[in-house]
């Protein structure tokens, strides 16, 4: 293979290798290898993070004079009134615009907030860039810090699609970034391939499958936890009963599952703990406080319905 410009040979090769590393790490995560979560964070940091030597995907766009690719992301975390709020997650279905999803360039999305939370030292806010870098730099993927921000522990009291929240966020970002990387490689290397080539670009020897969002397990879109209320957006596969969403609302954990109308009810709950490299700290058994009142609301919509329409109302779950 020859490249359109010898000066960019190194950059195009690095981008291809990093795309393969992302798909390799996601495949390992899906097979239960928790160490791959740290590795995925490091590769994402190299591809889209800020700082010297990072941002290879953005650098490639500038080097090859390609417009920054775009992706659709769910609504942003709420700015105030909650002790934890998550949002700006990549989502494919155009119908997600009815719930506040937006089209963003890669350079804009990486600076969008993904996590806002309250800590003992005050409010904390994480853009995707900061979240990816902090995870890679503090958990031992690239560096190991003696102190890790408490919010990186706290979010993992929640889980989605069988993964603790930090792992779910990284995997979701990884699928999106892999797709954007392939988009740039298609624009960059088509002059080097046979006319009409529409395959994917991988490093020699890589045989990992195309990473997907694993929609059969459910797709969290946003989550807001306040002292007396909880709100979430969750897209589910209408034909799958393997979806799992675990939410820590106060001291009481909620196991949220979608069951299609007419399906046989599930008699038992899968006791398998969410996959993650670190277990959250032990907490005392929840106690019921009869004086405490709270509400839980959310949008739960089958992906099939979302794909079929961009207007209409969603099923609403309330408690």
């Amino acid at each position: 293979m020859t490249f359109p410009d010898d000066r960019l040979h190194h950059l195009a090769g690095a981008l291809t290798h990093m795309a393969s590393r992302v798909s390799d790490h996601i495949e390992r995560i899906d097979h239960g290898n928790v160490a791959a979560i740290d590795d995925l964070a490091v590769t994402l940091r190299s591809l889209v993070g800020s700082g010297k030597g990072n941002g290879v995907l953005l650098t490639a766009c500038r080097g090859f004079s390609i417009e920054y690719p775009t992706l659709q992301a769910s609504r942003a975390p709420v700015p105030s009134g909650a002790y934890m709020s998550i949002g700006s997650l990549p989502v494919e279905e155009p119908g997600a615009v009815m719930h506040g999803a937006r089209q963003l360039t890669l350079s804009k999305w990486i600076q969008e907030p993904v996590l806002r939370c309250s800590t003992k030292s005050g409010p904390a806010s994480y853009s995707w860039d900061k979240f990816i870098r902090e995870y890679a730099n503090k958990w031992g993927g690239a560096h190991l810090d003696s102190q890790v921000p408490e919010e990186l522990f706290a979010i993992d009291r929640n889980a989605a699609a069988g993964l603790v929240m930090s792992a779910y966020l990284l995997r979701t970002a990884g699928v999106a970034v892999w797709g954007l990387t392939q988009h740039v490689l298609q624009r960059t290397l088509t002059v080097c391939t046979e006319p009409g080539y529409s395959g994917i670009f991988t490093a020699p020897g890589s045989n990992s499958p195309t990473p997907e969002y694993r929609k059969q397990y459910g797709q969290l879109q946003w989550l807001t936890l306040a002292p007396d209320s909880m709100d979430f957006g969750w897209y589910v596969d209408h034909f799958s009963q393997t979806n799992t969403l675990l939410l820590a609302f106060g001291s009481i954990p909620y196991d949220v599952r979608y069951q299609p109308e007419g399906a046989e009810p599930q008699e038992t709950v899968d006791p398998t703990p969410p996959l993650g490299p670190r277990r959250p700290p032990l907490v005392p058994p929840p106690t019921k406080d009869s004086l405490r009142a709270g509400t839980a609301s959310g949008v739960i919509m089958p992906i099939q319905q979302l794909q079929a329409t961009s207007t209409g109302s969603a099923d609403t779950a309330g408690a």
Side-chain angles (χ1 to χ4, degrees), residues 37-205:
I37 297 170
D38 294 354
D39 297 336
L40 177 60
V42 173
T43 307
L44 289 176
R45 186 193 67 169
S46 298
L47 274 167
V48 296
S50 61
K52 185 177 180 181
N54 295 332
V56 174
L57 183 54
L58 294 164
T59 300
C61 291
R62 295 190 295 269
F64 287 102
S65 300
I66 298 172
E67 291 185 357
Y68 290 143
T70 62
L71 75 162
Q72 184 175 236
S74 64
R75 70 192 197 192
V78 299
S80 60
Y83 61 81
M84 180 178 297
S85 188
I86 293 170
S88 302
L89 278 80
V91 56
E92 291 180 315
E93 283 70 33
V97 297
M98 74 174 74
H99 302 135
R102 309 145 290 153
Q103 285 288 336
L104 302 170
T105 63
L106 172 61
S107 59
K108 172 66 174 173
W109 171 73
I110 197 63
Q111 298 302 329
E112 280 290 289
V114 60
L115 170 66
R116 290 192 174 110
C117 57
S118 299
T119 69
K120 295 177 181 178
S121 57
S125 180
Y126 284 76
S127 64
W128 274 107
D129 175 36
K130 181 180 177 181
F131 178 75
I132 290 169
R133 287 188 294 105
E134 291 283 280
Y135 196 100
N137 292 343
K138 295 184 180 297
W139 277 130
H143 311 286
L144 179 62
D145 281 13
S146 58
Q147 293 184 335
V148 176
E150 61 183 271
E151 51 270 22
L152 294 184
F153 284 102
I155 63 171
D156 283 350
R157 294 182 61 208
N158 305 277
L163 298 171
V164 297
M165 190 59 65
S166 60
Y168 176 78
L169 294 177
L170 289 169
R171 189 193 183 282
T172 302
V175 174
V177 171
W178 182 90
L180 298 180
T181 303
Q182 289 297 325
H183 170 81
V184 171
L185 288 172
Q186 289 282 351
R187 297 285 304 277
T188 301
L189 301 180
T190 49
V191 297
C192 316
T193 60
E194 295 293 329
Y197 178 77
S198 60
I200 62 175
F201 292 91
T202 63

Side-chain angles (χ1 to χ4, degrees), residues 19-28 31 178 200-203 205-211:
S20 295
R21 288 166 57 194
V22 168
S23 59
D24 287 346
H25 299 329
I26 290 175
E27 182 183 27
R28 290 164 57 214
H31 283 82
W178 182 90
I200 62 175
F201 292 91
T202 63
S206 175
N207 58 1
S208 296
T210 299

Side-chain angles (χ1 to χ4, degrees), residues 4-24:
D5 189 329
D6 288 341
R7 293 182 296 109
L8 299 175
H9 178 280
H10 177 62
L11 182 59
L15 198 61
T16 306
H17 285 197
M18 289 181 184
S20 295
R21 288 166 57 194
V22 168
S23 59
D24 287 346

Side-chain angles (χ1 to χ4, degrees), residues 283-317:
V283 295
T287 57
K288 183 176 180 180
D289 183 354
S290 60
L291 298 179
R292 181 183 179 189
T295 60
S297 62
V299 171
I300 301 178
M301 174 172 275
I303 292 171
Q304 289 78 8
Q305 180 182 349
L306 195 68
Q307 292 171 338
T309 180
S310 60
T311 61
S313 59
D315 299 327
T316 301

